[in-house]
Tab-separated table of all heavy atoms in Angstrom:
chain	number	residue	atom	x	y	z
A	151	ALA	N	171.344	86.905	-173.592
A	151	ALA	CA	171.887	86.181	-172.437
A	151	ALA	C	173.333	85.752	-172.706
A	151	ALA	O	174.194	85.874	-171.832
A	151	ALA	CB	171.009	84.971	-172.129
A	152	ASP	N	173.613	85.294	-173.928
A	152	ASP	CA	174.975	84.853	-174.253
A	152	ASP	C	175.969	86.002	-174.195
A	152	ASP	O	177.069	85.859	-173.655
A	152	ASP	CB	175.010	84.217	-175.653
A	152	ASP	CG	174.602	82.753	-175.593
A	152	ASP	OD1	174.571	82.205	-174.465
A	152	ASP	OD2	174.308	82.178	-176.658
A	154	LEU	N	175.659	88.732	-172.515
A	154	LEU	CA	175.813	89.160	-171.121
A	154	LEU	C	176.759	88.213	-170.377
A	154	LEU	O	177.609	88.659	-169.598
A	154	LEU	CB	174.444	89.228	-170.431
A	154	LEU	CG	174.457	89.667	-168.958
A	154	LEU	CD1	175.217	90.975	-168.745
A	154	LEU	CD2	173.019	89.826	-168.436
A	155	ARG	N	176.656	86.907	-170.640
A	155	ARG	CA	177.582	85.957	-170.007
A	155	ARG	C	179.020	86.276	-170.405
A	155	ARG	O	179.924	86.262	-169.572
A	155	ARG	CB	177.242	84.522	-170.409
A	155	ARG	CG	176.112	83.951	-169.592
A	155	ARG	CD	175.929	82.454	-169.795
A	155	ARG	NE	174.557	82.133	-169.426
A	155	ARG	CZ	173.543	82.064	-170.297
A	155	ARG	NH1	173.751	82.217	-171.598
A	155	ARG	NH2	172.327	81.823	-169.875
A	158	LEU	N	180.232	89.251	-168.512
A	158	LEU	CA	180.606	88.966	-167.124
A	158	LEU	C	182.054	88.453	-167.049
A	158	LEU	O	182.811	88.856	-166.162
A	158	LEU	CB	179.641	87.949	-166.502
A	158	LEU	CG	178.191	88.426	-166.364
A	158	LEU	CD1	177.329	87.349	-165.717
A	158	LEU	CD2	178.115	89.721	-165.572
A	188	LEU	N	160.689	90.874	-166.278
A	188	LEU	CA	161.977	91.476	-166.612
A	188	LEU	C	162.617	90.746	-167.784
A	188	LEU	O	162.587	89.515	-167.859
A	188	LEU	CB	162.900	91.446	-165.384
A	188	LEU	CG	162.346	92.121	-164.121
A	188	LEU	CD1	163.361	92.046	-162.977
A	188	LEU	CD2	161.957	93.574	-164.401
A	190	GLN	N	165.255	89.393	-169.025
A	190	GLN	CA	166.509	88.634	-169.047
A	190	GLN	C	166.305	87.339	-168.282
A	190	GLN	O	165.383	87.243	-167.450
A	190	GLN	CB	167.663	89.459	-168.451
A	190	GLN	CG	169.065	88.874	-168.613
A	190	GLN	CD	169.411	88.437	-170.035
A	190	GLN	OE1	169.047	87.315	-170.440
A	190	GLN	NE2	170.064	89.294	-170.802
A	191	ASP	N	167.147	86.354	-168.564
A	191	ASP	CA	167.011	85.058	-167.887
A	191	ASP	C	167.118	85.230	-166.376
A	191	ASP	O	168.008	85.921	-165.887
A	191	ASP	CB	168.128	84.093	-168.330
A	191	ASP	CG	167.971	83.660	-169.776
A	191	ASP	OD1	166.973	84.081	-170.398
A	191	ASP	OD2	168.855	82.930	-170.259
A	192	GLU	N	166.257	84.538	-165.704
A	192	GLU	CA	166.216	84.542	-164.240
A	192	GLU	C	167.586	84.216	-163.642
A	192	GLU	O	168.067	84.883	-162.729
A	192	GLU	CB	165.183	83.477	-163.839
A	192	GLU	CG	165.100	83.177	-162.383
A	192	GLU	CD	163.872	83.822	-161.752
A	192	GLU	OE1	162.874	84.009	-162.475
A	192	GLU	OE2	163.934	84.138	-160.567
A	193	GLU	N	168.195	83.208	-164.183
A	193	GLU	CA	169.478	82.716	-163.640
A	193	GLU	C	170.546	83.811	-163.747
A	193	GLU	O	171.370	84.006	-162.847
A	193	GLU	CB	169.849	81.435	-164.414
A	193	GLU	CG	171.306	81.050	-164.520
A	193	GLU	CD	171.964	81.446	-165.858
A	193	GLU	OE1	171.297	81.408	-166.911
A	193	GLU	OE2	173.157	81.811	-165.813
A	194	LEU	N	170.494	84.579	-164.832
A	194	LEU	CA	171.462	85.670	-165.003
A	194	LEU	C	171.154	86.834	-164.065
A	194	LEU	O	172.059	87.412	-163.459
A	194	LEU	CB	171.444	86.151	-166.455
A	194	LEU	CG	172.443	85.445	-167.365
A	194	LEU	CD1	172.150	85.774	-168.821
A	194	LEU	CD2	173.867	85.831	-167.004
A	195	LEU	N	169.884	87.162	-163.958
A	195	LEU	CA	169.508	88.259	-163.057
A	195	LEU	C	169.976	87.939	-161.641
A	195	LEU	O	170.432	88.815	-160.901
A	195	LEU	CB	167.992	88.488	-163.086
A	195	LEU	CG	167.421	89.039	-164.394
A	195	LEU	CD1	165.895	89.092	-164.334
A	195	LEU	CD2	167.986	90.430	-164.696
A	196	ALA	N	169.876	86.667	-161.265
A	196	ALA	CA	170.282	86.256	-159.916
A	196	ALA	C	171.791	86.379	-159.739
A	196	ALA	O	172.278	86.627	-158.640
A	196	ALA	CB	169.834	84.816	-159.665
A	197	ARG	N	172.523	86.225	-160.836
A	197	ARG	CA	173.988	86.272	-160.764
A	197	ARG	C	174.533	87.687	-160.677
A	197	ARG	O	175.639	87.912	-160.179
A	197	ARG	CB	174.534	85.635	-162.050
A	197	ARG	CG	175.377	84.405	-161.827
A	197	ARG	CD	175.814	83.845	-163.169
A	197	ARG	NE	177.149	84.292	-163.537
A	197	ARG	CZ	177.720	84.017	-164.718
A	197	ARG	NH1	177.054	83.334	-165.633
A	197	ARG	NH2	178.938	84.440	-164.982
A	198	LEU	N	173.784	88.646	-161.220
A	198	LEU	CA	174.290	90.021	-161.303
A	198	LEU	C	174.324	90.702	-159.941
A	198	LEU	O	173.496	90.414	-159.079
A	198	LEU	CB	173.414	90.832	-162.263
A	198	LEU	CG	173.430	90.334	-163.710
A	198	LEU	CD1	172.332	91.023	-164.524
A	198	LEU	CD2	174.804	90.587	-164.341
A	199	ASP	N	175.275	91.610	-159.779
A	199	ASP	CA	175.386	92.323	-158.500
A	199	ASP	C	174.199	93.259	-158.279
A	199	ASP	O	173.648	93.323	-157.193
A	199	ASP	CB	176.686	93.142	-158.460
A	199	ASP	CG	177.928	92.258	-158.429
A	199	ASP	OD1	177.860	91.168	-157.826
A	199	ASP	OD2	178.965	92.661	-159.003
A	201	VAL	N	170.614	95.040	-160.198
A	201	VAL	CA	169.656	95.066	-161.310
A	201	VAL	C	168.837	96.361	-161.265
A	201	VAL	O	168.112	96.618	-160.304
A	201	VAL	CB	168.707	93.845	-161.261
A	201	VAL	CG1	167.619	93.952	-162.339
A	201	VAL	CG2	169.499	92.548	-161.425
A	228	HIS	N	164.503	90.149	-157.980
A	228	HIS	CA	165.783	90.501	-158.602
A	228	HIS	C	165.938	92.005	-158.809
A	228	HIS	O	167.044	92.498	-158.998
A	228	HIS	CB	165.944	89.783	-159.943
A	228	HIS	CG	165.972	88.295	-159.784
A	228	HIS	ND1	166.899	87.658	-158.996
A	228	HIS	CD2	165.164	87.331	-160.273
A	228	HIS	CE1	166.666	86.360	-159.015
A	228	HIS	NE2	165.619	86.132	-159.780
Side-chain angles (χ1 to χ4, degrees):
D152 276 346
L154 180 52
R155 279 191 203 95
L158 296 181
L188 304 181
Q190 189 50 277
D191 291 358
E192 172 104 28
E193 154 261 325
L194 269 168
L195 292 175
R197 241 178 97 185
L198 297 169
D199 293 326
V201 174
H228 297 302

